[in-house]
């Protein structure tokens, strides 16, 4: 069972699984344990999951978070997949979920999640991270906090430095 | 000039610590080459043909004398004693050791310098006109806005992994554009609207490289307070929808073309409508605070030296030529803008030794309030020189080789490092620049043919801006042989245009002669006072073709 990192740098065991998109013609196989399923499939069959409070969704980097407008807070967890760490779309997706769609529950980074991207992710509104298995999870706390502040407003702060300076 | 406060200092120090940590992990094998690549690029570190190359940021080209001295020391201690001014107003070291880079960054941080985002798929150093703040015809000094953009873009958490690199340039002069804004991913032209309010005309999707493009306007007037929210909207649309499947189609220009400028603009406006009143919106106080860093230096009442200067010019022809070419009008009548040219024949354009960096620092202290500006033509500007010190300055810089009076002429070549240094090159570029400089070594002739932008790149990445040279030269590879393709009619100014290819390429040894023929066509066809570009636009490319390929 993979551990997840939280934004304060602590590590906790966790049993959510990411359910891959089924191949064409196959149906979605929902496990007993807490599961993250492709967001569009959840939307299409939302009513089937109403008796479970351990179903969340995941968005791939090319998907539009806007499809979840209005229903985000029905979900306990939304994950955003980074197919490759250099694919930066997930940062915009995260900010849109938080700042535009007012998502309040857990936002998780999955996929090619490496140490040096963690602080950017945190600033964009993620609060849990599944580090790629070959990376040293014990270095996460340090990498989440290389910087004590930033220049910009982002999901983590409404106060860009130019406003803090002025006050 | 901008001065760090405790926040900037803290972030700079944290950045150095972070990069040290990353370098250690890379050297220990904990980061694969692939994973370290974007991290080191975001710190300006390329790995090159002969050695790594470190690109150091010079925000909008401004340097203080203490920074120049530190650069000189770094080139001595960690490199081979010279550096290179680039076409984006930055400085490059060609031979540092990877292990030393964290120490170099620490040394830079001590003088408020860094290498952040000088490479990689992120928002790069913002550039502007080297005459900002001292020219008479500007709307307002653009540098405070450049600093605002610098801070906003530095370590921006959402935009560190864009589809491709992203460059912003700002221009505030009405008559000229020395920042080449129309060939940037975002070009911002400052202007006032009918109500007298300050703002920007926004060009987007310009660029050179494989698919050269002049950036179309997507907004005629953006009020200044909306600068950052609007940039954020553009970047977000690009980050989400720019192509990531093909590196050569990943620049924003391709997206703008695919959506059409109108379609792209509509998407930006939609995104912007959600965030225009977000906390990222600038405040009047913030802008004023930034402006406070760019106040005028302590200008003195300089005695009228018109007559003295006239006599000096009359008695000394070379001084006269220098004044005529390398000295520009300052908004304060007692002062002048002096460009130190780094284009002496035989030295690679933009190359400076450690000693020269120190000489420039001394000149800045003695003659120009301790500051200089790097230009995208790879020269250095002393922006505030007293007119009564011009002669003395000229005497001082002549033996330093900074007084070659060829500014903006054919031999003031923009040239990339090319095959002598760059792993990506198809051909050498520096020897071509040199052979053309030798061909046109007669100053009277050079002045007679007037201002001509000659830009040379060693490959289609276009570091030497060949597409926007009035005459552009591009190194190409033909069956393992170095050849050179010529284009005519490019411009990076307000009348921006991409040059047209003349025809089949030439061997290096033929280049001076070919160049001579091109100039001859111009001289034969020009009307009085008509610069090269205007003649070209009037007569077209055919007469040039006929002569060159005859
Ligand atoms: C020696 C090592 C260098 C390497 C490996 C290198 C590599 C590249 C590459 C690959 C591009 C194209 C990127 C694209 O089109 O998306 C590029 C663009 C550029 N480079 Fe370099 N470069 C080097 C040095 C320089 C130097 C010394 C200068 C300045 C003299 C420079 C100025 C530029 C500029 C201005 C562009 C942008 C052209 C555009 O707008 O598309 N580069 N460089
Ligand atoms: S234009 Fe090509 S040869 Fe010249 S520096 Fe750029 S990548 Fe190298």
């Amino acid at each position: 069972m993979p551990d997840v990192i939280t934004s304060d740098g602590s590590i906790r065991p966790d049993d959510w699984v990411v359910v891959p998109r089924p191949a064409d013609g196959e149906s979605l196989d929902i496990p007993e344990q807490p599961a993250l399923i492709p967001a569009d499939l959840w939307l299409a069959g939302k009513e089937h999951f109403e008796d479970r409070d351990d179903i969340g969704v995941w968005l791939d980097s090319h998907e539009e978070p806007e499809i979840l407008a209005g229903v985000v807070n029905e979900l306990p967890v939304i994950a955003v997949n980074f197919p490759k760490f250099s694919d930066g779309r997930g940062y915009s997706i995260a900010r849109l979920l938080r700042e535009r769609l007012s998502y309040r529950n857990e936002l998780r980074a999955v996929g090619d999640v490496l140490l040096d991207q963690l602080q950017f992710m945190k600033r964009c509104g993620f609060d849990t991270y599944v580090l790629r298995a070959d990376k040293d999870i014990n270095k996460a706390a340090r990498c989440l906090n290389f910087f004590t502040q930033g220049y910009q407003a982002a999901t983590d702060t409404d106060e860009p430095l130019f406003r803090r300076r002025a006050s | 000039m901008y001065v760090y406060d405790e926040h900037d200092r803290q972030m700079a120090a944290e950045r150095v610590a972070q990069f040290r940590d990353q370098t250690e992990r890379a050297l220990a094998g904990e980061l694969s080459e692939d994973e370290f690549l974007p991290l080191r690029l975001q710190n300006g570190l390329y790995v090159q043909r002969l050695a790594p190359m470190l690109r150091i940021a010079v925000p909008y080209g401004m340097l203080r004398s203490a920074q120049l001295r530190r650069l000189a020391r770094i080139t001595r201690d960690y490199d081979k004693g010279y550096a290179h001014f680039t076409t984006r107003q930055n400085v490059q070291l060609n031979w540092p050791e990877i292990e030393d880079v964290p120490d170099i960054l620490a040394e830079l941080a001590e003088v408020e310098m860094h290498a952040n985002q000088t490479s990689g798929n992120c928002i790069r150093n913002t550039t502007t006109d080297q005459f900002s703040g001292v020219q008479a015809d500007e709307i307002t000094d653009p540098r405070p806005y450049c600093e605002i953009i610098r801070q906003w873009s530095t370590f921006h958490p959402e935009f560190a992994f864009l589809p491709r690199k992203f460059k912003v340039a700002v221009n505030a002069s009405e008559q000229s554009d020395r920042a080449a804004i129309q060939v940037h991913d975002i070009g911002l032209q400052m202007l006032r609207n009918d109500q007298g309010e300050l703002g920007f005309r926004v060009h987007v999707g310009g660029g050179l490289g494989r698919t050269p493009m002049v950036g179309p306007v997507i907004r005629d007037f953006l009020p200044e307070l909306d600068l950052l929210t609007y940039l954020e909207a553009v970047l977000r649309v690009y980050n989400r929808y720019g192509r990531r499947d093909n590196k050569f189609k990943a620049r924003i220009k391709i997206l703008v073309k695919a959506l059409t400028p109108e379609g792209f603009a509509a998407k930006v406006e939609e995104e912007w409508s959600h965030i225009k009143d977000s906390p990222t919106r600038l405040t009047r106080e913030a802008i004023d605070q930034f402006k406070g860093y760019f106040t005028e230096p302590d200008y003195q009442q300089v005695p009228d030296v018109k007559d003295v200067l006239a006599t000096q010019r009359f008695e000394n022809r070379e001084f006269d030529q220098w004044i005529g070419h390398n000295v520009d009008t300052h908004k304060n009548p007692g002062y002048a803008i002096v460009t130190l040219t780094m284009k002496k024949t035989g030295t690679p354009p933009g190359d400076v030794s450690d000693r020269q960096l120190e000489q420039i620092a001394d000149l800045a202290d003695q003659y120009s309030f301790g500051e200089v500006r790097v230009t995208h033509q790879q020269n250095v500007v002393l922006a505030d020189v007293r007119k009564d010190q011009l002669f003395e300055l000229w005497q001082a810089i002549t033996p330093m080789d900074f007084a070659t009076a060829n500014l903006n002429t054919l031999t003031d070549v923009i040239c990339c490092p090319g095959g002598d240094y760059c792993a990506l090159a198809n051909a050498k570029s520096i020897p071509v620049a040199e052979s053309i400089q030798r061909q046109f070594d007669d100053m009277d002739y050079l002045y007679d043919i007037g201002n001509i932008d000659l830009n040379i790149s060693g490959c289609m990445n276009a570091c030497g801006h060949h597409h926007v040279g009035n005459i552009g030269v591009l190194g190409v590879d033909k069956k393992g042989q170095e050849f050179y393709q010529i284009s005519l009619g490019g411009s990076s100014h307000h009348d921006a245009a991409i040059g047209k290819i003349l025809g089949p390429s030439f061997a290096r040894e033929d280049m001076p002669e070919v160049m001579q023929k091109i100039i001859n066509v111009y001289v034969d066809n020009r009307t009085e006072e008509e610069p090269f570009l205007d003649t070209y636009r009037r007569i077209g490319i055919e007469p040039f073709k006929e002569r060159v390929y005859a």
Side-chain angles (χ1 to χ4, degrees), chain A residues 34-93:
Chain A
L36 298 165
I37 63 179
D40 55 324
L41 299 184
W42 175 78
L43 274 174
K46 219 158 138 296
E47 58 287 359
H48 300 304
F49 308 110
E50 265 160 14
D51 55 337
R52 283 187 66 170
D53 60 4
D54 61 351
I55 297 291
V57 302
W58 66 277
L59 285 162
D60 212 345
S61 65
H62 64 274
E63 291 181 296
E64 310 255 303
E66 286 89 346
I67 61 172
L68 294 172
V71 296
V72 275
N73 288 314
E74 295 173 25
L75 291 158
V77 179
I78 298 178
V80 176
N81 183 44
F82 289 80
K84 184 87 192 75
F85 75 93
S86 53
D87 179 345
R89 288 175 286 191
Y91 300 100
S92 291
I93 294 175

Side-chain angles (χ1 to χ4, degrees), chain A:
Chain A
M1 200 162 301
D3 290 333
V4 300
I5 303 158
T6 57
S7 280
D8 62 7
S10 59
I11 296 163
R12 67 157 202 248
D14 177 275
D15 50 7
W16 286 86
V17 290
V18 175
V19 180
R21 175 174 297 281
D24 277 347
E26 312 245 322
S27 62
L28 195 63
D29 198 10
I30 310 280
E32 296 284 309
Q33 73 192 101
L36 298 165
I37 63 179
D40 55 324
L41 299 184
W42 175 78
L43 274 174
K46 219 158 138 296
E47 58 287 359
H48 300 304
F49 308 110
E50 265 160 14
D51 55 337
R52 283 187 66 170
D53 60 4
D54 61 351
I55 297 291
V57 302
W58 66 277
L59 285 162
D60 212 345
S61 65
H62 64 274
E63 291 181 296
E64 310 255 303
E66 286 89 346
I67 61 172
L68 294 172
V71 296
V72 275
N73 288 314
E74 295 173 25
L75 291 158
V77 179
I78 298 178
V80 176
N81 183 44
F82 289 80
K84 184 87 192 75
F85 75 93
S86 53
D87 179 345
R89 288 175 286 191
Y91 300 100
S92 291
I93 294 175
R95 288 194 69 179
L96 289 168
L97 285 168
R98 290 291 192 209
E99 296 170 45
R100 181 100 13 110
L101 306 182
S102 305
Y103 177 57
R104 289 186 303 271
N105 303 328
E106 182 180 329
L107 185 56
R108 173 174 295 205
V110 299
D112 201 23
V113 177
L114 310 182
L115 290 165
D116 293 289
Q117 285 69 41
L118 292 176
Q119 189 157 21
F120 290 135
M121 291 174 177
K122 179 167 89 172
R123 294 214 57 206
C124 289
F126 285 102
D127 40 26
T128 58
Y129 316 84
V130 181
L131 195 68
R132 206 176 73 193
D134 60 323
K135 296 294 167 192
D136 183 356
I137 200 167
N138 297 309
K139 292 191 170 156
R142 176 171 161 75
C143 292
L144 275 162
N145 292 297
F146 270 125
F147 292 96
T148 46
Q149 61 174 327
Y151 282 108
Q152 317 74 7
T155 309
D156 61 339
T157 173
D158 270 354
E159 295 263 286
L161 183 53
F162 66 78
R163 285 178 191 264
R164 279 182 278 136
R165 278 180 176 134
S167 62

